[in-house]
Amino acid sequence: AQKVTQAQTEISVVEKEDVTLDCVYETRDTTYYLFWYKQPPSGELVFLIRRNSFDEQNEISGRYSWNFQKSTSSFNFTITASQVVDSAVYFCALSEEGYSALTFGKGTMLLVSP
Amino acid sequence: EPEVTQTPSHQVTQMGQEVILRCVPISNHLYFYWYRQILGQKVEFLVSFYNNEISEKSEIFDDQFSVERPDGSNFTLKIRSTKLEDSAMYFCASRAETGHYEQYFGPGTRLTVT
């Protein structure tokens, strides 16, 4: 069975600090997809990134970067120079096939104070 | 930019009543999903729908739940006889058929059962 663990329940940082959100996953499939979603206080779920199991290249998008390591089954998310608008709950998710259900972690609440 | 829409944004109902939650997926998407999120908890998969039939469902999706695509644009979730524990945010999501496996979520419907 697949599982996603986000051990950090809540992280508080001051604006401009860098912060890393951890995600560890379990799956028996060799082909799988990893995702990060952001849930701001308004409640919607915003897609941030998808990663395929066969592509371990790290990705950077502006202040966001993702570190995918199959050897440790981790898919960590770093926000550089955090801003107050980054305050949200961040969910890591996994799907074992391209079309199947997402299994979400419990989420990490990020609080960025001015 | 195309987006998933959901109505109503908030529904209050009495225990034992039937509710129908409505979703309009992104127009060229062919995979549809319902998830729920009990307040403060993680997002949980309910059901996926493809080619006019259920492709996958979770243990939560029991006989009280049903889904339907009544026309070319709407996708509905019906709860036949609501219970207090059905109170949650219900998210609809949709996904393109090939190439892109990320699911795009609607803003959610907050269901309150009293």
Side-chain angles (χ1 to χ4, degrees):
Chain A
Q2 53 189 340
K3 185 179 176 183
V4 176
T5 301
Q6 295 180 257
Q8 304 150 310
T9 305
E10 185 174 320
I11 301 176
S12 292
V13 299
V14 177
E15 219 172 8
K16 298 183 183 175
E17 282 185 36
D18 298 347
V19 58
T20 296
L21 310 181
D22 298 333
C23 173
V24 174
Y25 62 91
E26 294 176 30
T27 176
R28 287 177 290 191
D29 276 19
T30 55
T31 300
Y32 52 90
Y33 301 85
L34 295 163
F35 306 83
W36 277 95
Y37 283 86
K38 174 182 180 180
Q39 186 174 45
S42 49
E44 72 271 27
L45 286 164
V46 179
F47 166 74
L48 295 178
I49 190 172
R50 167 181 56 90
R51 221 62 196 135
N52 309 332
S53 56
F54 42 87
D55 180 5
E56 283 193 76
Q57 199 169 25
N58 291 327
E59 184 156 338
I60 297 174
S61 175
R63 296 184 297 107
Y64 294 172
S65 62
W66 291 270
N67 184 348
F68 176 29
Q69 291 196 344
K70 287 177 77 169
S71 60
T72 56
S73 297
S74 65
F75 184 43
N76 297 336
F77 173 28
T78 297
I79 301 174
T80 303
S82 58
Q83 299 176 1
V84 172
V85 293
D86 296 327
S87 296
V89 179
Y90 291 86
F91 290 97
C92 181
L94 164 74
S95 73
E96 288 183 326
E97 297 175 38
Y99 54 86
S100 76
L102 294 174
T103 296
F104 283 83
K106 292 185 177 181
T108 296
M109 178 177 288
L110 175 65
L111 299 171
V112 183
S113 54
Chain B
E1 187 174 321
E3 57 183 20
V4 177
T5 60
Q6 291 185 243
T7 54
S9 56
H10 189 192
Q11 172 110 33
V12 181
T13 189
Q14 289 191 326
M15 201 166 48
Q17 295 296 304
E18 174 183 287
V19 294
I20 297 176
L21 310 183
R22 302 180 192 279
C23 168
V24 178
I26 295 173
S27 63
N28 62 342
H29 285 187
L30 296 178
Y31 290 90
F32 313 120
Y33 305 83
W34 283 102
Y35 292 82
R36 80 171 185 191
Q37 184 182 31
I38 295 171
L39 187 63
Q41 299 188 22
K42 69 176 179 179
V43 181
E44 300 174 291
F45 167 72
L46 293 178
V47 65
S48 60
F49 192 86
Y50 173 70
N51 202 23
N52 286 319
E53 60 182 24
I54 290 173
S55 50
E56 195 176 358
K57 61 182 181 179
S58 72
E59 293 176 353
I60 302 168
F61 194 85
D62 61 22
D63 292 344
Q64 291 298 311
F65 292 89
S66 62
V67 289
E68 193 177 35
R69 186 147 164 86
D71 53 45
S73 58
N74 289 284
F75 179 51
T76 62
L77 173 69
K78 182 194 290 187
I79 309 175
R80 261 181 273 283
S81 178
T82 50
K83 305 171 198 163
L84 293 176
E85 54 264 38
D86 292 327
S87 295
M89 181 75 91
Y90 288 81
F91 291 103
C92 173
S94 69
R95 206 212 99 191
E97 182 171 20
T98 57
H100 300 281
Y101 300 105
E102 55 270 21
Q103 295 175 24
Y104 291 92
F105 285 77
T109 293
R110 178 161 297 285
L111 177 65
T112 303
V113 182
T114 61

